[in-house]
């Protein structure tokens, strides 16, 4: 008999497991007359279950009280009814619904279902019962399905697709297998699905006019009246183009899926909570599957089976440990994509969070130094003995209510004390929201001390999936462990349980860890999955990938439309002229269509093939560039756009900066310390903190207080007064920095050595604490109640304080404060007799707010301005001494304000301001540097000189973004930074605030950089969208702070749609994926925190400075080469079409082909393809000149290399050359039908194209020489095989040679002369910089 889940749901004995009809066929002897049915009331519940005392089991069972168990949905929670028919089920509605796939087979077959056999609403009930089995496996409409596992709290039964897309509130049974309606936990950056690949790619291809045109031309050859030549000559080129394009798209998408597969296969450890009391089927990976319907034995002697089960229960009465003994906790490794809602995941330091989780437990894995072993006990005892001990807050959940069973667990799951036992951990969220601060996360007190085997008693109630990464509302419920003894024939009170109530605790954002965050602290986390796959915060904030089309292809598409209009016009003119001279033997529309087919070479189908092949070559160049190791081209369709970028949107953290802070400067009023001068700071610290410790290790060290530091200064009589004052200031500021923070020291074992690391919500604070350690004062311990500082020189505890209050940093307050009480006496003094000494209030913050808080001075503004100009983050440090009465007054007022129901935060802030934040003693100013990525400054300068406007979009704080913008030279010294913050609030007070701000910004846009926070940006985009974006795109630099991933994508899309310019977005984190995908060109940097941005990007690089070469060199070359290649392919098609036009005129406007079959195909393939395609190796300047003169890049952004002007120039050149080649061929040969004409005109066409390619080359490459000479040799070698078209005897005569030479001279010399003269009069920029 299973008792594994008696704390979850009571289970009826499973005494008939093999009878398929057991739930339908019942023993009629059990049925008795209807009882207790007055006024429709329900009779007493069927007894024989361990949670209810019952009546006599031998008594007949009223028919009214039977519960239907037919095909019962697994996991339905039992409802309790009293004798009056009232539902007495404990807990709220969420408790009544448990997971459909629970492991316990006995519960799956529990006959005590939640629905009476005969209900007031019985219509269709039998049908629903019989469909229950199917309802557990397919998603039925609400009128058929009785599934309840993860209940929709909105009571909206939608389809499976809608549920997966929109999500519903859910109630999650921890450790249980969930229903299949939740999306899989898989990462997908693929553009296509297997079944949608062909429809989407074909649609994309035929959305290009050129492909649609040739499709129509090819289909026209099926009609006999329109057929010109053989059908394959039209079908094969189109099929080849589509095959190459679709193959390239398939290859790129398969590569994306392969990369996604690597992320989805990342292994994770989960806890499998299973009942070992019965045999049950297991999944292959070890997870318990939802129980299937099994055959059960026919009920013949049901009463006997029940009595046997009751006897077994009586043996187990009072043995609570039996509950846990039936639960086994196994650690199994599964892939990330196999994680399901309800799984318990085990994570450690440095691991990526694979899904959205709620933290159940967090245990420290670090080793605790012996010097701190008794520190917590000492401080706690001292606090208890103190009259200033903090009042205990009444907890909504008492720890005494949760007493885990003392049972043996796997060693890897044994809790490790974290000092405070409060389940703290830190996570890094920069891949999610771009914020560099580490976030403190807490396990709920309700779950922190639970035995993992009792996780099955937990239910998580969570809201709908949402995009808000900083919001979460939910609750966790701990169901009671119910144990009710049975005595045959009697029933004990139903309330006789070990735990009679369901405990509930709220869940907030502090209890969560979203997907793609990283565990930063040395802790082991047990967390339950609440959202997976497409419903995670990360996925909801990420836009779906789209097929990107390069700007060059769009421009060429427009040019082909012009060529089509030209072809149609020419055809109509020829047919019209024909009607004046001769009587046509065809209908006019047939003649026009035949001319359109003859002139189809004007619109060269091979253009797309050549451009696609060229893109592959450019990708090969990028990926094999030795100066850009690790570069990857993930979207090979848009390399030309790299040469057309006008706006660059960049992330900050991990992209421009390394996210590594270093304290570079300290100013104490009269002296500034930096670099080597820090040694003098260390000497002052040693004098004040090391001397207090006895040299003799056997003697106790005296604890240091601010007053004792002053006495130390006075005792140093050998030094001058000025030096003593400076030393005192230095020690005071070092002590303040060592105490005023939220840093927690941690220790790890590395190679047998104990290494101390720091965890904090801000890298700034870590940098400051590391600096205090470097000058001699180490933070060796910190928890919520105390801080201990150690002298590095003597390795003895120098300072111990109680933490009375902490005021954390906020974006609005821009400051952080702490109230501490120093412990006095010797380090080894018994804690109960130790004295609690002085109370001090320390505060540090931005100079903009601290200036009004500290006492009057004459140096603060000047020094903070100097540090800001150096790009340092400035923090002003101050302090104030409080008497016991002052602190008591403050504590009373602060507590009163914290209890207010309205304006609580404002009231609390006002109390702090009134009692503490006035006339603080100014101790000093610190300057912290955020280390930039390698070569960021010169890279930004190059990009700015190339005419690219740079926007920095970050989720970090305003002050941080300002400092990085200055230090990275994103904002030059000549530019003024105009800051817009809290505009929404200002607009409420003054409706014209936004308009006034924009007017002020528009006064001098060329020399003004904009710094704006996310809220103000949202307000302007919502209310002044056009005015703001019209002005912002004119600014040389824009810095947007506190931006969500969605805001980043919206800004990118807004710039694209407003300017119609090419924009590039670069980032390294998961929070940048939406922005990258919204850009014309997305560039991902492979960062420390993962490769999600890199995988989703079009181009992947490893360093930001590689971006300059990617744009200024590879992008510029790709665009210029493709532009030249497109011009030559168009020129090649126009030439042969013009020759066809002249021939048609000579043959009395008949739509007959001049070049047929092989000549038509061979001309655009083997005879000209290699030489024309070799232009992808051409370059006008070398890399050094491209970097030296970034202005060369700026010339390309308007698209001058392939514009309407250049197109019409090549059009006139083609008309000129084609006309004279065909006219002179007919004139010199004298026959319009002879094979001699074809030989002369075709040979002149081929050689003319080869010479034109040679004339246009700027920098020769050996492959170009080989392709031109090789093509010429190939043509000469194939002439003997062209006897069906040429007059071969004539070809080998001098008459053929001089005629071809004369024609080429007329067609080539004039264009060459005009080109030379034009370059001489108006030399292009590349010739100027090359000095040619």
């Amino acid at each position: 008999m299973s008792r594994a889940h008696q704390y979850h749901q009571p289970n009826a004995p499973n005494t008939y497991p093999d009878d398929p009809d057991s739930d339908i066929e019942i023993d009629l002897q059990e049925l008795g007359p209807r009882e207790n049915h007055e006024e429709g009331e329900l009779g007493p519940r069927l007894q024989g279950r361990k949670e209810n005392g019952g009546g006599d089991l031998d008594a007949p069972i009223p028919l009214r009280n039977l519960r239907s168990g037919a095909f019962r949905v697994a996991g339905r929670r039992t409802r309790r009814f009293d004798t009056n028919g009232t539902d007495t089920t404990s807990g709220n509605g969420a408790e009544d619904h448990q997971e459909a796939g629970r492991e316990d087979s006995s519960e799956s077959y529990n006959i005590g279902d939640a629905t009476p056999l005969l209900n007031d609403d019985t219509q269709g009930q039998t049908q629903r019962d019989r469909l229950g089995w199917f309802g557990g496996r397919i998603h039925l409409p609400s009128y058929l399905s009785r599934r309840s596992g993860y209940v929709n709290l909105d009571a909206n039964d939608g389809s499976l697709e809608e549920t997966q897309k929109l999500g519903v509130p859910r109630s999650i049974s921890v450790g249980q297998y969930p229903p299949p309606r939740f999306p899989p936990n898989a990462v997908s950056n693929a553009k296509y699905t297997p079944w949608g690949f062909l429809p989407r790619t074909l649609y994309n291809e035929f959305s290009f006019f050129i492909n649609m045109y040739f499709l129509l031309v090819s289909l026209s050859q099926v009609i006999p009246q329109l057929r010109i030549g053989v059908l394959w000559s039209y079908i094969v080129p189109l099929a080849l183009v589509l095959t190459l394009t679709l193959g390239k798209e398939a290859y790129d998408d398969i590569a994306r899926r392969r990369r996604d597969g690597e992320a989805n296969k990342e292994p994770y450890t989960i806890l499998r909570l299973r009942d070992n009391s019965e045999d049950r089927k297991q999944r292959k990976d070890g997870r318990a599957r939802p129980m299937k319907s099994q055959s059960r034995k026919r009920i013949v002697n049901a009463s006997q089976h029940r009595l046997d089960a009751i006897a077994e229960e009586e043996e187990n009465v009072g043995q609570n440990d039996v509950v846990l003994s039936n639960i086994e906790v196994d650690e199994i490794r599964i892939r990330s994509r196999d994680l399901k809602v309800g799984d318990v995941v085990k994570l450690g330091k440095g691991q990526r969070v694979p899904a959205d989780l709620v933290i159940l437990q967090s245990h420290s894995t670090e080793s605790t130094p012996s010097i701190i072993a008794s520190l917590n006990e000492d401080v706690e005892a001292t606090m208890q003995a103190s009259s200033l001990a903090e009042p205990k807050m009444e907890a909504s959940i008492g720890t005494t209510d949760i007493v885990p069973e003392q049972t043996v667990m796997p060693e890897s799951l044994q809790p490790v004390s974290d000092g405070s036992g409060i389940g703290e951990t830190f996570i890094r969220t920069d891949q999610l929201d771009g914020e560099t601060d580490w976030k403190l996360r807490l396990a709920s007190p309700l779950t922190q001390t639970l035995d993992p085997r009792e996780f099955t008693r937990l239910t998580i109630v969570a809201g709908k999936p949402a995009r808000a990464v900083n919001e979460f509302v939910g609750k966790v419920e701990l169901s009671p462990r119910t144990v009710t003894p049975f005595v045959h024939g009697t029933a004990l009170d139903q309330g006789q349980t070990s735990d009679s109530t369901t405990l509930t605790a709220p869940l907030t954002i502090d209890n969560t860890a979203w997907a793609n965050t990283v565990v930063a602290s040395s802790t082991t986390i047990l967390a339950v999955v609440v959202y997976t796959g497409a419903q995670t915060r990360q996925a909801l904030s990420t836009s779906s990938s789209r097929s990107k089309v390069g700007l060059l292809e769009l421009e060429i598409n427009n040019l082909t439309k012009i060529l089509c209009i030209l072809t149609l016009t020419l055809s109509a003119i020829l047919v019209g002229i024909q009607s004046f001279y001769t009587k046509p033997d065809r209908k006019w529309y047939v003649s026009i269509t035949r001319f359109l087919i003859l002139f189809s070479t004007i619109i060269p189908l091979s253009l797309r093939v050549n451009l696609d092949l060229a893109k592959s070559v450019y990708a090969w160049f990028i990926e094999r560039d030795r100066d850009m190791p690790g570069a990857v081209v993930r979207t090979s369709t848009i390399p030309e756009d790299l040469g057309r970028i006008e706006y660059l949107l960049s992330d900050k953290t991990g992209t421009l900066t390394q996210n590594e802070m270093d304290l570079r400067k300290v100013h104490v009023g009269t002296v500034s310390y930096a670099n080597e001068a820090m040694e003098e700071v260390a000497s002052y610290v040693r004098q004040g903190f090391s001397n207090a410790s006895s040299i003799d290790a056997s003697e106790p060290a005296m604890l240091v207080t601010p007053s004792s530091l002053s006495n130390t200064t006075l005792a140093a009589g050998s030094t001058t007064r000025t030096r003593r004052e400076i030393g005192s200031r230095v020690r005071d500021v070092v002590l303040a920095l060592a105490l005023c923070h939220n840093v927690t020291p941690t220790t790890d074992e590395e190679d047998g050595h104990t290494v101390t690391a720091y965890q904090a919500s801000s890298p700034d604070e870590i940098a400051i604490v590391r600096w205090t350690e470097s000058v001699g004062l180490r933070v060796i311990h910190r928890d919520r109640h105390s801080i201990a500082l150690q002298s590095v020189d003597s390795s003895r505890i120098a300072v111990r304080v109680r933490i009375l209050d902490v005021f954390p940093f906020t974006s609005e307050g821009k400051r952080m404060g702490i109230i501490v009480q120093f412990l006095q006496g010797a380090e080894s003094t018994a804690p109960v007799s130790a004295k609690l000494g002085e109370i001090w209030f320390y505060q540090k913050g931005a100079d903009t707010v601290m200036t009004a808080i500290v006492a009057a001075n004459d140096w603060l503004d000047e020094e903070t301005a100097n540090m800001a100009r150096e790009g340092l983050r400035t923090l002003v440090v101050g302090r104030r001494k409080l008497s016991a009465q002052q602190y008591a007054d403050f504590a009373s007022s602060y507590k009163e304000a914290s209890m207010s129901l309205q304006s609580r935060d404002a009231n609390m802030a006002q109390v702090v301001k009134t009692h503490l934040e006035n006339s603080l003693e100014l101790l000093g100013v610190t300057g912290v540097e955020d280390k930039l990525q390698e070569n960021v400054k010169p890279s930004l300068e190059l990009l700015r000189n190339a005419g690219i406007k740079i926007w920095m979009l970050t989720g970090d704080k305003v002050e941080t973004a300002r400092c990085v913008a200055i230090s990275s030279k994103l904002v030059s010294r000549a530019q003024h930074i105009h800051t817009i913050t809290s505009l929404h609030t200002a607009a409420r007070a003054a409706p014209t605030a936004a308009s006034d701000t924009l007017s002020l910004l528009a006064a001098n846009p060329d020399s003004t950089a904009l710094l704006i926070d996310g809220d103000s940006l949202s307000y302007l985009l919502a209310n002044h969208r056009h005015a703001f974006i019209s002005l912002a795109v004119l600014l040389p630099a824009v810095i947007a702070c506190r931006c969500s991933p969605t805001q980043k994508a919206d800004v990118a899309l807004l710039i694209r749609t407003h300017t119609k310019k090419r924009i590039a977005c670069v980032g390294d984190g998961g929070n940048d994926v939406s922005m990258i995908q919204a850009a014309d060109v997305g560039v991902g940097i492979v960062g420390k925190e993962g490769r999600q941005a890199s995988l989703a990007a079009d181009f992947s690089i490893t360093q930001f400075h590689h971006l300059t070469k990617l744009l200024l060199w590879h992008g510029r070359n790709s665009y210029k080469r493709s532009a030249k290649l497109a011009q030559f392919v168009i020129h090649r098609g126009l030439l042969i079409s013009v020759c066809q036009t002249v021939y048609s005129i000579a043959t009395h406007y008949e739509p007959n082909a001049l070049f047929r079959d092989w000549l038509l195909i061979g001309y655009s393939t083997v005879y000209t393809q290699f030489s024309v395609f070799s232009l992808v190796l051409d370059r006008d300047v070398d890399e050094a000149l491209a970097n030296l003169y970034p202005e060369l890049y700026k010339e390309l952004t308007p698209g001058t290399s392939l514009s309407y002007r250049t197109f019409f120039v090549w059009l006139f050149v083609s008309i000129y050359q084609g006309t004279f080649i065909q006219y002179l061929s007919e004139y010199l040969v004298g026959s319009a039908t002879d094979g001699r004409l074809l030989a002369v005109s075709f040979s002149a066409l081929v050689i003319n194209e080869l010479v034109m390619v040679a004339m246009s080359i700027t920098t020769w490459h050996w492959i170009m020489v080989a392709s031109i000479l090789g093509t010429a040799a190939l043509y000469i070698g194939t002439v003997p095989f062209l006897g069906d078209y040429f007059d071969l005897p004539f070809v080998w005569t001098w008459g053929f040679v001089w005629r071809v030479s004369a024609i080429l001279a007329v067609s080539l010399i004039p264009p060459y002369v005009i080109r030379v003269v034009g370059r001489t009069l108006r030399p292009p920029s590349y010739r100027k910089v090359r000095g040619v």
Side-chain angles (χ1 to χ4, degrees), residues 1198-1209:
T1200 54
S1201 295
L1202 183 62
S1203 60
Y1204 289 114
R1205 176 181 174 275
T1206 59
F1207 169 74
F1208 284 109
V1209 168

Side-chain angles (χ1 to χ4, degrees), residues 199 201 217 223 231 395 424 464 471 535 547 561 636 656 737 758 841 928 947 1046 1077 1127 1195 1214 1294:
T201 51
V217 169
I223 303 174
L231 182 62
E424 292 182 350
K464 292 182 179 181
E471 297 177 6
Q535 293 183 349
S547 298
K561 294 176 182 178
S636 58
L656 299 178
L737 292 174
Y758 296 106
F841 169 60
V928 177
T1046 305
Q1077 293 179 339
Q1127 290 169 344
E1195 294 181 348
S1214 302
W1294 284 106

Side-chain angles (χ1 to χ4, degrees), residues 525-648:
I525 297 175
L526 300 180
V528 60
V529 178
V530 290
Y531 305 112
T532 54
Q535 293 183 349
T536 61
R537 281 346 193 230
Q538 175 72 57
L540 292 174
S541 299
T542 302
S543 58
S544 58
S545 59
R546 60 187 179 92
S547 298
K548 296 183 179 181
V549 179
L551 181 59
L552 182 70
E553 292 196 31
L554 297 177
E555 293 171 343
I556 290 176
N557 196 48
N558 292 333
L559 295 181
T560 56
K561 294 176 182 178
I562 296 177
L563 292 175
C564 181
I565 295 174
L566 178 64
T567 303
L568 181 61
T569 303
L570 182 60
S571 301
I573 292 174
L574 292 177
V575 172
I577 296 176
Q578 180 190 26
S579 62
F580 282 103
Y581 289 94
T582 61
K583 184 178 181 180
D585 55 354
R586 301 182 181 89
K587 298 292 184 179
W588 65 269
Y589 51 84
V590 174
S591 298
I592 289 180
T593 304
R594 286 178 62 86
F595 272 120
L596 286 174
I597 297 171
L598 285 174
F599 297 149
S600 62
T601 53
I602 292 180
I603 307 173
L605 180 63
S606 60
L607 179 58
R608 291 292 307 281
V609 178
N610 280 274
L611 290 178
D612 288 344
L613 292 176
K615 297 175 194 297
S616 300
V617 174
Y618 307 149
W620 189 89
F621 287 151
I622 293 173
E623 292 182 343
R624 283 157 182 78
D625 192 326
R626 295 181 179 179
D627 295 333
M628 298 169 54
V632 179
V633 178
R634 306 197 189 280
T635 304
S636 58
T637 58
I638 54 173
E640 298 92 354
D641 279 5
L642 291 170
R644 307 283 296 278
I645 301 300
E646 295 190 52
Y647 291 90
L648 175 65

Side-chain angles (χ1 to χ4, degrees), residues 359-363 415 443 447-452 455 524-527:
I359 299 174
L360 300 178
Q361 292 185 0
S362 176
H363 301 291
T447 61
Q448 173 64 21
T449 56
L450 274 182
D451 188 306
F455 284 169
T524 296
I525 297 175
L526 300 180

